[in-house]
Amino acid sequence: MLAVVAIVLTTWAAPLHAHLMPAQSGTLNVRDRAVFGALSIPVSALVGFDDDGNGRLSTLELQRHQVALQQHVSSRLQLRNGADPGTRDFLQLSVELVENDSASAGGGTHLLVLVKQTFAATPTQLAIHTDLFGSRGGEQQLAIKATHDRIAEMAVLRARHPDHQFFQSAAHIATQYIALGIEHILTGIDHLLFVLTIIVAAAGWRYWLTVLTSFTVAHSITLTLGMLNVVRLSQSIVEPLILASIALMFALNITHKATRLSVRAAIVFACGLLHGLGFASAMADIGLHGTNKLVSLAAFNVGIEVGQALIVAITVVALAAV
């Protein structure tokens, strides 16, 4: 029945000239073994179908390329239940036209995609992958809401994070984000260099514990504020400031090596606030988990601390060997 309704809505979408789905958004509804989806995707994500080059897709252009478009979109929109790719029962496209858009006579800027996919069992590990992101401003993300019984979860897909698995346990999410935090601190050369500059300045557990705690508290504050959109600073500003903080600590190690511990901890704290904004920018690309935002945020931060601990351990062993 839902499939019939979806096809009817698709057929009527163009003559009604109404948005059935907000741009850059979508829904996935689990019903028994089937998933019914509706997504609004930008025309700028599709190359080779806009015959007149006006950046829109008309009903005529859609009809002309109907089969090729369906195959193209279907190949770039993947749903699965764990390792089960399922069976795609249908995928229908219609042009999204807006009544108050004076240029709508030339076509719509978005397509409505209606899809049904059936799996061998009820999807409890529903995952989506897509790269249907546009080239215009605001078209580089896709907000998806998945529902199953009374469970609803939101996810935001981006070009650098095109996958999401719904309905995961909090423990599984925590494990994933801890790993991401460890990876980020160990592969982020700027953060790695900063931690090294504050470690090698002096020896002793009291010193290391003081400066690392100061750094941890500081970056945890701005990471949390950044991910909750309380504080947000452009990467073009944050990244040069982070590099400046590394240079500052390096210069301090050479010219003022005897600086009091409390003063050094305060300087590290101020620098840590900048690094927290850098962590927030990195995590913004990953995105917080839809229904477990606090779990994913806390786990990412824990991963950063674990990564820092590994750096300290490796450094201490290396210094001892020297």
Side-chain angles (χ1 to χ4, degrees), residues 12-27:
W12 286 358
L16 286 176
H17 290 249
H19 252 302
L20 297 180
M21 178 68 63
Q24 309 304 126
S25 66
T27 61

Side-chain angles (χ1 to χ4, degrees), residues 29-32 122 147-152 167:
N29 296 301
V30 178
R31 294 289 183 271
D32 296 325
T122 301
T147 58
H148 180 206
D149 293 333
R150 296 183 179 181
I151 302 173
F167 317 131

Side-chain angles (χ1 to χ4, degrees):
M1 182 61 184
L2 286 173
V4 174
V5 172
I7 295 173
V8 171
L9 287 176
T10 306
T11 306
W12 286 358
L16 286 176
H17 290 249
H19 252 302
L20 297 180
M21 178 68 63
Q24 309 304 126
S25 66
T27 61
L28 297 173
N29 296 301
V30 178
R31 294 289 183 271
D32 296 325
R33 296 187 298 110
V35 174
F36 296 86
L39 300 90
S40 176
I41 63 169
V43 169
S44 62
L46 311 170
V47 179
F49 302 103
D50 178 15
D51 295 334
D52 55 14
N54 67 347
R56 293 169 175 266
L57 202 69
S58 67
T59 303
L60 182 60
E61 288 170 331
L62 174 62
Q63 292 173 347
R64 185 181 301 139
H65 302 288
Q66 183 79 39
V67 176
L69 259 173
Q70 285 182 335
Q71 294 173 345
H72 183 74
V73 172
S74 184
S75 67
R76 296 175 62 185
L77 175 63
Q78 300 167 22
L79 299 174
R80 68 181 188 277
N81 177 34
D84 179 11
T87 301
R88 183 148 295 174
D89 301 311
F90 74 86
L91 184 142
Q92 296 290 332
L93 306 175
S94 63
V95 179
E96 287 272 72
L97 299 176
V98 185
E99 291 178 343
N100 58 2
D101 183 359
S102 59
S104 62
T109 59
H110 286 73
L111 284 181
L112 177 67
V113 180
L114 297 178
V115 60
K116 179 193 174 190
Q117 197 150 326
T118 304
F119 299 93
T122 301
T124 56
Q125 302 178 59
L126 178 62
I128 182 173
H129 170 85
T130 184
D131 63 351
L132 291 168
F133 305 105
S135 57
R136 299 171 179 170
E139 293 183 349
Q140 287 79 47
Q141 65 178 39
L142 181 63
I144 304 288
K145 180 180 181 181
T147 58
H148 180 206
D149 293 333
R150 296 183 179 181
I151 302 173
E153 180 179 329
M154 282 294 302
V156 179
L157 304 181
R158 297 179 177 86
R160 295 180 61 180
H161 183 61
D163 305 90
H164 185 81
Q165 183 176 327
F166 296 95
F167 317 131
Q168 299 180 75
S169 68
H172 189 201
I173 294 165
T175 302
Q176 284 184 319
Y177 278 85
I178 287 174
L180 288 169
I182 295 173
E183 178 186 355
H184 182 71
I185 191 71
L186 294 181
T187 58
I189 187 66
D190 48 358
H191 305 302
L192 183 60
L193 284 175
F194 183 81
V195 173
L196 287 175
T197 57
I198 64 176
I199 290 175
V200 300
W205 289 108
R206 179 172 175 268
Y207 168 79
W208 288 330
L209 184 62
T210 301
V211 294
L212 288 174
T213 300
S214 180
F215 181 60
T216 296
V217 172
H219 74 61
S220 297
I221 291 172
T222 45
L223 169 60
T224 302
L225 293 177
M227 291 310 299
L228 297 178
N229 291 319
V230 177
V231 176
R232 185 59 63 92
L233 206 58
S234 170
Q235 276 189 292
S236 61
I237 298 174
V238 172
E239 293 302 326
L241 290 176
I242 289 176
L243 293 177
S245 72
I246 299 171
L248 171 64
M249 293 308 302
F250 182 76
L252 191 65
N253 290 347
I254 296 175
T255 60
H256 296 78
K257 195 169 184 177
T259 305
R260 283 188 305 169
L261 181 55
S262 59
V263 175
R264 187 175 288 269
I267 296 173
V268 170
F269 183 88
C271 295
L273 294 174
L274 292 172
H275 284 257
L277 292 174
F279 292 144
S281 296
M283 195 174 181
D285 292 332
I286 302 170
L288 292 175
H289 194 275
T291 54
N292 289 278
K293 290 184 173 62
L294 294 181
V295 171
S296 53
L297 178 57
F300 185 78
N301 207 30
V302 167
I304 291 173
E305 308 319 317
V306 172
Q308 284 181 188
L310 290 173
I311 294 170
V312 173
I314 293 169
T315 304
V316 169
V317 172
L319 289 174
V322 171

